[in-house]
Amino acid sequence: MANYIALSWPPEREAAQARVDQLLEDRVMRRDWRPAEQREGFCILVEAARPLPIRRFVDDSARILGDLFERPTGQTAPDILPSGAWRLLGAEARCAHFSAAYWGRYVVVQPDPAGGIAVFRDPSGALDCLTWQADGITIAASSLPDWLLSALPPHLDLNWRAIAAFLADPATLGARLGLDGVAAVLPGTLHGPVAGRAALAIWRPAAFVRATAPCYAEAKTLLARTVDACVAAYAASGAPLLAEVSGGLDSSIVASALARTPDAAVVQWMNFHVADPQGDERRYARALADRLAVPLTEIAKPELALTREALDDQVVGVRPSLNGLDRHYDTDIADRCAALGVRSILTGQGGDMIFFQAPTPLVAADVWRRRAGRREAIEDVARWTRRSVWSVLWAASLASVGVGHRRRRPSPAFMTPQGVALATGVALHPWLEDLRGVSPAKRLQIRGLANAQGFFGDCQRARQAELIHPLLSQPIVELCLAIPAIDLTRGGHGRALAREAFADRLPDLVTQRRSKGDLTAYYGRMLGRSLDVLRPYLLEGRLAQAGLIDRDALGEMLTETHLIWRGGYPDLLRLLAVEIWLRHWARRIGDLASHRH
C-alpha cells in the first residue's frame, strides 16, 4: 500500500514548526515524498511515486487517507464528503456510522488543536497506522522509514512479550507490535484524544455474527453481488493490474468478478505452479481461463534454497511477515509489475477463512438454533469430518459450553517454558474477547480473520504495487460472519455456499473440486535444502539468545528426517520470519541509539 505520514503540533510552538519545515525541505529536495496538505499546525506527506488519495469533509478538519468506496454501490467516494452528521471522530456513534456507510483501505486522521491526532482505522486492516510523539509533534504513519525515525525518533525498544506471542500464535501479529515506543491502531478502532482513552473499539467481528442471518437463498445472492461489487471497486479505475489465478476456488471467484468488470485492465492473469502433482493446479486454472476467455500466463516455480544473503536482504516492515519468504515468487511478481506498469495485484487470499473451508465438528453447534433439518445437517458434518454422529454431537456440545475448545493455540514445540510463559501473559487478540453468544465454529472464523491480517505484511511486491485481497473487504467479511457456519458448509462441504453462489460462472472442474492446492512438499524441500543456513541462523539467533527457543527441540526439528516425517513447516516458517524481523529491528534500534548519542 502507498504510504502516508500525518504530523500535528501546537501552532504556537515555534521549535516544532521549525522541525517540520526542515523535514519537509529535506524530503521535497530528495523528491521521494511530497506534502499533500499543509496548514497551521498540521501537514500530510505522501510518497511522490505513489501518492495516496486524500479526501475531506465539508467544513471539517478530518482527512480520509487511502481508497474509499460507498455502500452499497461500491462507487469510489467523492473527494469531498458531506459534513454535519458526518463530522467524524467526534463520537463513537459517528465512527460507527461512517464505517457502515463507507468501506475500503483507509485511515481517517483528525488533528487536535492541542497538537494531537485522532485516528480511525478501517476495519479490514489493509492500511496500517502507527502513532507516537517526538519533540512536541504527534505523528501518525503507515510505516517507519529510516529518515522519519531519525528526524522524529520515538523511544523504540523491543517488546519481548509480544515477540514471544508472535511465535506462539499468528493471530497476535495484527493486534500489536513487537516494538515499544510506537502505538499501533487496531483495525476498526478509534485512537487518540477524542476516544477518551488510548483506544475505543468501534467495529468488532462478533457483532456481525450476532446479527440477523439471511436465509440460504438470499445469502447466495448477496454473496455473489457483494463480491462483484468489491472486486469491481478496486478494478474500476482502469489502472493496469495483475490477477493471481492459482486454480483454487477463491482466486477463481475473484477472477470471475474481474472478468465481469468492464473497466478492469488486467494485463496478466498469472498461475504459479510447482512440479508436485498436489501443487500443480494448471488443470484448474486452464479450465477457468477457458471459461472466462482470458489468456493465462503459466510460471514455473523453481526449486529453491534459502541463502544467508537472501535472509539478510529480506524486506522487513513493522511486523514479521511470511509474504516475502518465497523469494522467487515475491521478486518475480514485483519485477512483472515494474515492467508492465502495473498498479495493483489482486489475489484470492482470505477465502478459506471467509467462506469457511476447514472441516470441524464444531459446525454442528450452529444446527441447534434450527427447527428443521437438524438430523441431515449433523450427518453431513459427520461425513465431512469423517467422524461418527455421536462424536460430532459430543465435540460440538462440549465446545458450546466452553469445554475442550481452546481459547489459545498450542505453543510450538520449539518454545521454551520461559517463552511460553511470556506469550501466555499477552492478552488475546481483542477480536477474540467478549464472544458471548458466538458459536464455536464462528469463533474459529473470527480467529481466522485475525490470522488473515498477516496477508497485509510487507514484501517486495507490495512495495512495487498495491497488493489487494478483495475477499477481505469489509462488506464481504461482514456478510460471511453473519451467515451461519452450517450454511457456509451446507451438505458437509467446505465453502459450499460460495461454490453454489458462483457455480453459474465457474467451470464444474473448479466448483466440484474438493482438494486444495498444497505446497507443503515444495516448502518442505526448500527448508530441507536450506538446513546448512537455517540451523546456525536459528539455533544461534536472537530468539535463541533471548531464551525463547529450546535449542535441542529446534535442532531436532531442523533435520531432514523430521521435516520428511513430522513436518511442522508453518511454525518453522513463522519462526524464521520472526527471527528475520528481530535481527532487522535490533539493528535499527541500535543505530538509532548510536545516532542519538
Side-chain angles (χ1 to χ4, degrees):
M1 185 71 181
N3 289 299
Y4 67 89
I5 298 165
L7 306 170
S8 180
W9 64 96
E12 68 276 7
R13 293 196 57 170
E14 296 181 0
Q17 180 68 61
R19 177 65 66 89
V20 173
D21 290 343
Q22 183 61 54
L23 184 146
L24 291 175
E25 182 179 352
D26 290 344
R27 300 330 298 178
V28 170
M29 290 298 292
R30 290 175 179 268
R31 299 182 179 179
D32 53 353
W33 289 73
R34 66 174 177 81
E37 179 170 340
Q38 285 180 273
R39 61 177 185 263
E40 190 176 52
F42 182 67
C43 75
I44 298 174
L45 290 170
V46 296
E47 292 177 297
R50 297 167 65 187
L52 201 70
I54 298 179
R55 293 173 175 83
R56 66 182 179 86
F57 294 90
V58 175
D59 300 325
D60 193 272
S61 61
R63 295 294 180 264
I64 304 97
L65 316 179
D67 297 323
L68 190 71
F69 308 107
E70 296 178 337
R71 296 206 208 202
T73 63
Q75 296 293 316
T76 299
D79 291 340
I80 302 177
L81 303 179
S83 190
W86 301 104
R87 293 185 67 85
L88 190 63
L89 303 177
E92 177 181 355
R94 290 169 185 163
C95 289
H97 197 181
F98 184 83
S99 67
Y102 300 97
W103 65 275
R105 303 187 306 158
Y106 66 86
V107 168
V108 183
V109 297
Q110 181 170 3
D112 182 83
I117 297 180
V119 175
F120 176 62
R121 186 178 171 204
D122 116 67
S124 79
L127 183 57
D128 216 333
C129 186
L130 317 164
T131 69
W132 71 97
Q133 292 185 326
D135 298 330
I137 301 169
T138 301
I139 304 99
S142 54
S143 63
L144 299 176
D146 284 335
W147 65 266
L148 181 60
L149 292 182
S150 297
L152 297 170
H155 295 286
L156 282 183
D157 202 356
L158 297 170
N159 185 320
W160 288 103
R161 287 187 178 275
I163 293 168
F166 296 163
L167 292 177
D169 189 346
T172 63
L173 285 171
R176 55 185 51 84
L177 295 181
L179 300 170
D180 287 331
V182 175
V185 181
L186 192 73
T189 296
L190 173 63
H191 178 100
V194 298
R197 52 184 183 273
L200 182 61
I202 305 298
W203 186 95
R204 284 184 177 272
F208 298 92
V209 176
R210 299 184 185 108
T212 302
C215 69
Y216 190 80
E218 183 185 7
K220 285 196 301 181
T221 301
L222 285 173
L223 183 59
R225 184 187 305 160
T226 305
V227 169
D228 283 346
C230 290
V231 171
Y234 284 119
S237 67
L241 61 88
L242 293 182
E244 293 186 11
V245 183
S246 70
L249 178 67
D250 305 328
S251 68
S252 297
I253 287 173
V254 173
S256 73
L258 265 177
R260 297 163 69 96
T261 304
D263 297 330
V266 183
V267 298
Q268 201 166 90
W269 306 78
M270 306 176 299
N271 171 263
F272 282 80
H273 59 89
V274 298
D276 302 294
Q278 63 269 34
D280 185 351
E281 301 182 87
R282 283 177 292 176
R283 176 188 175 201
Y284 306 99
R286 289 168 180 171
L288 175 71
D290 290 344
R291 180 65 176 267
L292 302 181
V294 299
L296 184 67
T297 300
E298 299 176 355
I299 307 158
K301 288 168 62 67
E303 294 289 317
L304 298 175
L306 297 170
T307 65
R308 179 59 187 267
E309 293 74 23
L311 297 179
D312 290 341
D313 291 341
Q314 188 82 35
V315 169
V316 177
V318 295
R319 294 179 177 83
S321 172
L322 298 175
N323 280 352
L325 286 181
D326 188 336
R327 190 71 176 272
H328 171 265
Y329 172 74
D330 193 30
T331 57
D332 185 292
I333 294 182
D335 291 344
R336 287 173 188 272
C337 290
L340 298 172
V342 164
R343 300 280 297 278
S344 302
I345 307 159
L346 267 63
T347 85
Q349 286 189 298
D352 280 3
M353 172 272 304
I354 289 296
F355 300 145
F356 212 102
Q357 167 67 21
T360 172
L362 302 183
V363 169
D366 281 14
V367 179
W368 297 337
R369 303 181 182 185
R370 303 262 173 105
R371 293 184 178 179
R374 292 181 181 178
R375 177 177 175 178
E376 294 81 358
I378 292 172
E379 290 174 349
D380 288 338
V381 174
R383 281 191 294 270
W384 183 34
T385 58
R386 299 182 179 181
R387 302 171 68 143
S388 70
V389 168
W390 291 112
S391 174
V392 166
L393 288 171
W394 182 247
S397 61
L398 288 178
S400 294
V401 295
V403 177
H405 180 58
R406 295 176 179 267
R407 295 185 73 215
R408 292 185 181 272
R409 181 182 183 274
S411 299
F414 55 69
M415 289 188 70
T416 61
Q418 173 190 344
V420 172
L422 282 174
T424 305
V426 175
L428 292 171
H429 191 294
W431 289 349
L432 303 177
E433 302 284 0
D434 188 21
L435 297 182
R436 291 169 297 174
V438 175
S439 70
K442 282 297 180 177
R443 293 183 181 213
L444 286 180
Q445 191 178 30
I446 293 174
R447 172 174 281 278
L449 180 59
N451 290 347
Q453 292 295 303
F455 294 146
F456 300 119
D458 208 354
C459 57
Q460 291 189 45
R461 61 191 186 277
R463 293 191 177 188
Q464 181 63 45
E466 301 300 308
L467 184 56
I468 299 173
H469 313 302
L471 298 182
L472 293 175
S473 298
Q474 184 185 344
I476 301 174
V477 170
E478 291 174 353
L479 174 61
C480 290
L481 287 172
I483 300 170
I486 198 66
D487 281 350
L488 291 172
T489 60
R490 194 172 197 177
H493 300 298
R495 300 175 291 181
L497 186 142
R499 295 176 196 276
E500 287 196 40
F502 295 92
D504 64 338
R505 64 174 80 169
L506 300 178
D508 292 343
L509 190 66
V510 172
T511 57
Q512 296 176 8
R513 179 185 181 189
R514 294 296 176 256
S515 63
K516 281 180 57 64
D518 188 357
L519 295 177
T520 299
Y522 175 81
Y523 287 118
R525 290 194 302 272
M526 180 186 76
L527 292 174
R529 282 191 298 269
S530 308
L531 287 175
D532 289 346
V533 172
L534 292 179
R535 286 183 65 86
Y537 191 82
L538 294 174
L539 294 175
E540 301 167 14
R542 294 295 300 260
L543 290 166
Q545 293 170 19
L548 303 186
I549 300 301
D550 183 329
R551 286 187 170 96
D552 291 338
L554 180 59
E556 183 179 338
M557 295 178 70
L558 293 174
T559 62
E560 289 189 16
T561 300
H562 189 283
L563 291 174
I564 292 171
W565 296 106
R566 303 287 295 279
Y569 310 134
D571 285 341
L572 288 173
L573 289 172
R574 189 169 68 259
L575 167 63
L576 181 58
V578 175
E579 178 70 31
I580 291 170
W581 178 91
L582 177 55
R583 292 185 185 217
H584 172 91
W585 279 102
R587 182 174 62 253
R588 287 184 69 180
I589 290 171
D591 291 345
L592 285 171
S594 299
H595 179 74
R596 283 196 297 267
H597 294 103

